[in-house]
Amino acid sequence: DTGVSQDPRHKITKRGQNVTFRCDPISEHNRLYWYRQTLGQGPEFLTYFQNEAQLEKSRLLSDRFSAERPKGSFSTLEIQRTEQGDSAMYLCASSPWAGGELFFGEGSRLTVL
Amino acid sequence: EDKVVQSPLSLVVHEGDTVTLNCSYEVTNFRSLLWYKQEKKAPTFLFMLTSSGIEKKSGRLSSILDKKELFSILNITATQTGDSAIYLCAVEAAEYGNKLVFGAGTILRVKS
């Protein structure tokens, strides 16, 4: 396993549609994080999992956003009823333990028209 | 609320110049400060700093942390065009279980 992989890399959708992103972390990394990054800003924390348990959600994560990690391996981030303000890069990261470096994927870029 | 502020926001230098990037932070229960480099893709890890006054070096890059004054600097000597990137500073607080809070980044452009 060479790193964190995300799919799709790019998604263009119309306002009001639902989108789902997938993240496959590095094998045996039990912590998985979702971040959102907009132009000119650093990544903003959305949520994180330890194994299959979702331990924290940012208040940025409205009720239109939901994330899962059903078997403690890959994770999905779904955005329902997309809005133009959801346009951003969605970054996934994983780590093997609490504390220290996060390993980032290359991101899924969402454009909402 | 935890805050990370980076300066300058952007910087243009010529190859061979030395640059210093700044990161100041306010966070309760500080655990560590990390620097990442981001080109047109995933942020890649540069350094993690936990103790004041101990310089970390990797080639032409070095970084140091001052926990009393709540800041860190990242130095790049003899810059090259390949150093052009966004440099992100992030802090980890102990109660967050390595959730990182990022600054907005410094955009560095190195001209040949």
Side-chain angles (χ1 to χ4, degrees):
Chain A
D1 192 333
T2 57
V4 178
S5 62
Q6 293 187 243
D7 183 70
R9 295 292 309 283
H10 298 95
K11 178 72 176 179
I12 300 173
T13 192
K14 292 182 179 178
R15 190 176 53 184
Q17 297 295 305
N18 299 344
V19 296
T20 299
F21 301 115
R22 176 180 169 126
C23 172
D24 287 89
I26 295 171
S27 296
E28 299 175 359
H29 280 194
N30 63 11
R31 288 186 171 237
L32 186 147
Y33 299 78
W34 286 99
Y35 282 80
R36 179 172 69 189
Q37 187 175 25
T38 53
L39 197 63
Q41 298 297 319
E44 296 174 296
F45 170 78
L46 294 179
T47 188
Y48 89 93
F49 294 84
Q50 179 167 308
N51 299 313
E52 65 274 14
Q54 189 173 20
L55 295 187
E56 187 177 347
K57 292 195 295 185
S58 165
R59 59 180 178 273
L60 293 175
L61 213 66
S62 78
D63 56 7
R64 296 185 297 105
F65 287 70
S66 63
E68 294 184 340
R69 193 182 183 198
K71 296 181 181 178
S73 56
F74 73 91
S75 175
T76 58
L77 177 68
E78 181 183 17
I79 310 173
Q80 296 183 324
R81 305 182 303 281
T82 51
E83 300 172 356
Q84 288 184 324
D86 297 331
S87 296
M89 176 74 84
Y90 290 85
L91 292 165
C92 177
S94 68
S95 71
W97 51 71
E101 175 188 357
L102 299 187
F103 297 79
F104 282 88
E106 297 202 353
S108 292
R109 181 170 295 283
L110 174 64
T111 301
V112 182
L113 302 176
Chain B
E1 184 176 328
D2 299 326
K3 191 164 62 172
V4 178
V5 178
Q6 293 187 243
S7 64
L9 292 181
S10 66
L11 191 56
V12 180
V13 300
H14 288 94
E15 272 192 313
D17 288 349
T18 293
V19 298
T20 298
L21 310 182
N22 303 294
C23 175
S24 63
Y25 62 90
E26 293 177 26
V27 62
T28 53
N29 297 315
F30 174 89
R31 174 181 278 178
S32 64
L33 184 145
L34 293 87
W35 285 96
Y36 282 82
K37 177 183 181 182
Q38 186 176 26
E39 297 170 89
K40 290 182 180 177
K41 46 186 180 177
T44 54
F45 173 77
L46 295 175
F47 298 111
M48 184 171 77
L49 303 155
T50 56
S51 301
S52 274
I54 299 175
E55 186 183 51
K56 294 238 176 157
K57 269 183 84 73
S58 176
R60 296 176 295 102
L61 278 65
S62 64
S63 184
I64 197 160
L65 174 67
D66 186 326
K67 290 168 71 174
K68 182 179 176 187
E69 300 297 330
L70 307 183
F71 79 91
S72 173
I73 60 172
L74 175 68
N75 281 319
I76 309 174
T77 59
T79 52
Q80 302 172 356
T81 55
D83 295 326
S84 297
I86 301 171
Y87 289 84
L88 296 165
C89 173
V91 296
E92 177 194 0
E95 70 268 23
Y96 293 144
N98 89 313
K99 179 188 88 173
L100 298 181
V101 177
F102 283 86
T106 293
I107 302 171
L108 174 65
R109 182 177 161 217
V110 181
K111 296 168 72 171
S112 58

